[in-house]
Amino acid sequence: MSPAANPAVRDRLRIAIQKSGRLSEPARALLASAGLSWRESRDRLFCYGESLPVDLLLVRDDDIPGLIADGVCDLGIVGRNVLAEQAGERSETGKPAVFREWRALGFGGCRLAVAVPDGWDWQGPQQLAGKRVATTYPNQLRAWLREQRVEADIVVLNGSVEIAPRLGQADAICDLVSSGATLAANQLKPVLDVMRSEAVLAGPVQPFGDVRAELADLLLRRMDGVLRIRDSKLLLFQTRRDALPQVLQLLPDAEPPTMCAIDGADTLALQALCHGAMTWQRLEDLKRAGARGLMVLPVERMLA
Ligand SMILES: Nc1ncnc2c1ncn2[C@@H]1O[C@H](COP(=O)(O)OP(=O)(O)OP(=O)(O)O)[C@@H](O)[C@H]1O
Ligand SMILES: O=P(O)(O)OC[C@H]1O[C@H](OP(=O)(O)OP(=O)(O)O)[C@H](O)[C@@H]1O
Ligand SMILES: [Mg+2]
């Protein structure tokens, strides 16, 4: 049966990303560097893929796990915090796990942390016993409290959680923190992390049974290439053979270099893919160790 005749079989992949918010631009940029391009529609909620049969759906981030669960979209880029919260909710209500994290994407980093008023003398999780804790992430907080064997009341709020203690709605909070500025502005201090989060590529637990499997594989391979080289540089240099061990010691973050002998084999020309920052200080150290003609080149694409 052709995909058109059977709606369960699809010949295009559909990826949901946040319409507007912290993850929307980096998510688009990542997909674009993996070679995707779209024809923008006028309402901009659905973008038809041009370079590959991969379409974009622009939605609220909280809707992404549910869209994957319902099969409305195939993949999504969403914070691990949102994915874990909704997975927790499904498991609490006895529903099977249908989506999971496929890849961590290295942006949108933050943590889900417990914070208490500045004046508290924090002794440990037991101090939350019998207290009210405000959060947008009740399932993760509940699971964490259970692990700590602490009984506390969870007050669910959809936003502005940090203001709850001042309003007398809660004694402590459990919310996302990155710089800590929002906590400080509300006279709160973080005391421990419930989870570390970043943007992730989410997908179904079950593999696709049609051409989407190949499209998803292709996309993953390209994304892995982009993620691997995000901060990488290609380093070109020459060195005398006897200085090689000292030079390589300064490149612990490099892939095994390609080398060739020149000048009657006494000198080597090398190229090494380095994953760490290539600062001036590092180049000067390499020169001191015997490297010559150092050149640092950006890496645009890589396919393993
Ligand atoms: N302060 C922060 N620093 C870094 N990342 C954050 C921060 N706050 C949230 N995030 C991450 O970015 C994701 C999206 O945050 P954002 O504030 O844009 O969501 P939202 O207000 O729920 O948006 P939407 O309108 O799509 O529902 C969060 O789920 C989290 O993974
Ligand atoms: O530690 P900080 O760097 O101050 O960031 C933390 C704040 O960022 C997020 O809110 P956001 O600004 O996205 O507003 P929102 O409540 O509308 O999501 C989060 O809910 C915190 O309130
Ligand atoms: Mg949201």
Side-chain angles (χ1 to χ4, degrees):
M1 198 186 289
S2 75
N6 178 0
V9 178
R10 287 220 300 264
D11 56 358
R12 300 183 68 84
L13 198 67
R14 209 177 272 169
I15 307 181
I17 64 168
Q18 196 185 21
K19 179 174 183 288
S20 63
R22 290 174 187 270
L23 305 184
S24 43
E25 277 318 310
R28 262 173 183 268
L30 174 63
L31 295 172
S33 30
L36 300 190
S37 63
W38 311 272
R39 195 189 313 145
E40 301 281 346
S41 73
R42 233 181 311 152
D43 57 11
R44 293 201 57 234
L45 299 180
F46 182 89
C47 307
Y48 186 83
E50 288 193 317
S51 52
L52 281 174
V54 180
D55 305 320
L56 267 196
L57 213 56
L58 307 182
V59 297
R60 292 279 308 267
D61 65 345
D62 322 65
D63 292 336
I64 292 176
L67 290 169
I68 298 174
D70 294 343
V72 173
C73 70
D74 304 308
L75 302 173
I77 294 182
V78 63
R80 181 182 293 135
N81 49 305
V82 171
L83 199 70
E85 178 61 22
Q86 298 197 21
E89 188 181 330
R90 287 184 72 89
S91 117
E92 285 282 319
T93 52
K95 292 185 184 156
V98 281
F99 47 76
R100 65 174 177 86
E101 177 174 328
W102 278 25
R103 285 291 187 285
L105 300 178
F107 58 87
C110 55
R111 47 199 230 275
L112 183 63
V114 172
V116 299
D118 279 338
W120 279 31
D121 174 21
W122 179 251
Q123 310 277 332
Q126 284 304 329
Q127 228 169 322
L128 297 173
K131 299 279 194 284
R132 295 161 306 160
V133 187
T135 189
T136 313
Y137 299 90
N139 288 289
Q140 281 169 93
L141 177 58
R142 193 177 306 113
W144 179 81
L145 286 168
R146 210 179 280 150
E147 254 171 50
Q148 307 297 316
R149 299 175 194 282
V150 170
E151 284 200 23
D153 289 333
I154 299 176
V155 179
V156 182
L157 296 177
N158 287 324
S160 307
V161 173
E162 291 91 346
I163 206 171
R166 255 205 288 172
L167 298 181
Q169 275 178 303
D171 304 297
I173 69 161
C174 174
D175 197 16
L176 297 180
V177 181
S178 126
S179 67
T182 313
L183 289 183
N186 289 283
Q187 293 94 51
L188 298 168
K189 59 180 180 189
V191 287
L192 41 84
D193 292 349
V194 170
M195 82 171 305
R196 292 205 157 263
S197 183
E198 65 187 283
V200 302
L201 179 72
V205 167
Q206 295 295 334
F208 299 114
D210 49 34
V211 74
R212 287 174 295 171
E214 287 151 46
L215 285 171
D217 268 0
L218 174 86
L219 189 68
L220 271 182
R221 274 201 307 278
R222 290 190 182 183
M223 277 171 110
D224 286 343
V226 173
L227 295 173
R228 258 183 85 200
I229 59 165
R230 187 169 269 178
D231 301 312
S232 303
K233 297 274 182 275
L234 186 66
L235 182 68
L236 306 183
F237 62 95
Q238 296 182 1
T239 182
R240 286 181 54 87
R241 198 178 276 276
D242 53 7
L244 186 62
Q246 295 91 288
V247 171
L248 290 185
Q249 249 183 11
L250 295 172
L251 297 171
D253 58 333
E255 304 269 334
T258 307
M259 300 185 215
C260 70
I262 52 176
D263 276 359
D266 241 11
T267 304
L268 299 171
L270 288 95
Q271 68 176 52
L273 182 67
C274 299
H275 296 293
M278 200 48 70
T279 58
W280 282 109
Q281 180 65 55
R282 231 177 139 191
L283 292 178
E284 282 149 12
D285 291 346
L286 284 163
K287 186 166 179 194
R288 223 168 288 123
R292 295 285 173 270
L294 284 147
M295 211 185 295
V296 182
L297 305 181
V299 182
E300 197 172 310
R301 283 199 189 120
M302 192 168 151
L303 198 60

